Amino acid sequence: TYLWSDANGDRRYQLGEHTTLQSATLEGATALDPNIKAPYSHEAAAWFEQQLTDTLGLRAGFVYKTEDDLITNQYQLERGPSTYTAPFTFVDRGVDGLLNTADDRVLNLLGFPTSQNANFPTTQYVTNLDQFGRYKTAEVSMNRRYANRWSGQAGFGYTWMNNFPNNLNSLNGFPQNPNQPGAEERTVWNFKASGSYDAAWGIRISPVVRHQSGVNFAREIVLPAAPAAGVSISGVTIYGDRAADNREDNIWVFDVRAEKQLTFGSRLRLRVMFDAFNLSNSHASETITRTTGTSYRKPSAILAPRTARVGFRFIF
């Protein structure tokens, strides 16, 4: 970023009108890996559809997707996991987050020997990650077309995810050290059913039921940047267990809408709506604290409580 002096007063920049250098963000700090490749993905899907009755249809399918050669904007190529050769021990406080209790354990980890600092530059590179993703999804749904004053839809999906590194809600994007676990399979599923019913007095009732599985997660351990004499470590958060061993709350939500349309003359219509959300008043956790400590697994956000809303819409 330079200062600009509009020498000829035409309010347009011409080469040579810049003066004093003000700042140079990332100048010389980030390099481009000359061997960088474009990310790519593959996807294949197969579907089966069948009409069961005059109003009822079935659809089922399977989708397979891959992700490879993903790119990061900051990675120290000369100081990768293979340079972490200095062993050290670290006391994991365990699930209770307290020292000197029964679930404590000693972890044998590897750090970077600080005596080698001069031999391994810390230049940041834009480069490909040694990382991949594999996703398999099975889905089935049914659709009931409008007849006898009602219609409905229902669908269920189940996904298997295999990632390396263990990076769903990734901590460090890509581990700068060899202490991260390898590939892990995680699963998520969801279900949704909705419909509409034309009741008496022109009132349409539209219920919706939704279910979402909780997200798999691993307990996170924050390591000190200098865990032992002569040792440093980059990417200072590691996982204390397998993500497949933990899952956040599964969430069920039941909502309903009732609406009626009123007509005034030939041009004006008024639609009156009443919505009720989370009728079961579920208080499932939407996110929880994952970091080892006394707050581990405590909710940081919970589902909003039962809520009602009245709305109006004019159409003219």
Side-chain angles (χ1 to χ4, degrees):
T1 303
Y2 293 86
L3 290 179
W4 172 39
S5 175
D6 188 13
N8 58 10
D10 66 353
R11 299 184 180 182
R12 296 186 179 184
Y13 170 78
Q14 283 91 33
L15 188 63
E17 291 184 342
H18 57 283
T19 58
T20 307
L21 177 68
Q22 299 298 296
S23 63
T25 304
L26 296 180
E27 183 183 47
T30 302
L32 179 67
D33 181 1
N35 298 313
I36 195 169
K37 296 177 288 185
Y40 68 92
S41 64
H42 293 125
E43 184 171 322
W47 296 94
F48 169 80
E49 297 186 40
Q50 177 66 45
Q51 182 170 319
L52 303 177
T53 69
D54 289 344
T55 59
L56 188 64
L58 171 70
R59 187 172 191 261
F62 183 82
V63 179
Y64 179 73
K65 182 178 180 180
T66 70
E67 292 179 332
D68 292 274
D69 286 344
L70 302 179
I71 291 177
T72 180
N73 290 327
Q74 270 190 336
Y75 186 68
Q76 298 173 7
L77 280 175
E78 288 96 352
R79 196 175 287 202
S82 63
T83 65
Y84 284 69
T85 57
F88 68 94
T89 59
F90 179 81
V91 177
D92 173 18
R93 297 168 177 254
V95 174
D96 65 7
L98 301 172
L99 285 174
N100 302 316
T101 56
D103 65 348
D104 290 3
R105 59 176 180 160
V106 176
L107 302 178
N108 295 305
L109 304 173
L110 292 171
F112 180 81
T114 55
S115 61
Q116 298 296 313
N117 279 338
N119 297 325
F120 296 96
T122 58
T123 305
Q124 302 283 356
Y125 284 86
V126 179
T127 186
N128 297 109
L129 300 177
D130 185 12
Q131 172 183 324
F132 63 81
R134 302 291 183 265
Y135 308 90
K136 295 172 285 186
T137 300
E139 294 183 6
V140 61
S141 62
M142 297 187 72
N143 181 59
R144 203 264 188 186
R145 291 192 291 272
Y146 183 84
N148 299 322
R149 301 170 63 182
W150 72 279
S151 65
Q153 307 84 34
F156 177 79
Y158 197 98
T159 299
W160 298 262
M161 296 176 288
N162 194 287
N163 299 86
F164 178 82
N166 177 359
N167 71 331
L168 187 68
N169 298 327
S170 176
L171 292 171
N172 305 307
F174 177 73
Q176 185 68 49
N177 65 74
N179 297 305
Q180 296 280 20
E184 286 197 6
E185 184 173 275
R186 308 172 187 229
T187 57
V188 294
W189 62 86
N190 61 81
F191 168 79
K192 181 178 180 180
S194 62
S196 65
Y197 173 68
D198 289 333
W201 304 299
I203 298 174
R204 171 166 289 185
I205 301 173
S206 304
V208 179
V209 176
R210 291 174 290 147
H211 170 72
Q212 175 65 56
S213 69
V215 177
N216 287 124
F217 70 94
R219 180 170 58 89
E220 300 171 5
I221 301 174
V222 178
L223 300 176
V231 178
S232 64
I233 194 164
S234 176
V236 293
T237 303
I238 64 172
Y239 295 100
D241 52 17
R242 293 183 60 82
D245 296 337
N246 308 290
R247 188 179 296 278
E248 295 185 359
D249 288 348
N250 297 329
I251 297 177
W252 282 95
V253 178
F254 177 39
D255 305 329
V256 67
R257 163 174 284 193
E259 61 180 307
K260 179 178 175 60
Q261 182 168 287
L262 304 173
T263 301
F264 301 94
S266 60
R267 292 181 176 273
L268 180 62
R269 288 174 289 169
L270 171 65
R271 184 173 295 172
V272 183
M273 297 166 287
F274 173 79
D275 295 309
F277 304 101
N278 191 14
L279 285 175
S280 63
N281 208 30
S282 169
H283 58 278
S285 301
E286 293 186 294
T287 58
I288 64 172
T289 301
R290 302 178 179 183
T291 307
T292 299
T294 55
S295 295
Y296 176 60
R297 297 188 72 102
K298 288 186 177 179
S300 53
I302 62 173
L303 195 63
R306 184 186 298 119
T307 306
R309 178 178 67 187
V310 177
F312 304 90
R313 179 178 298 168
F314 289 95
I315 304 171
F316 56 90

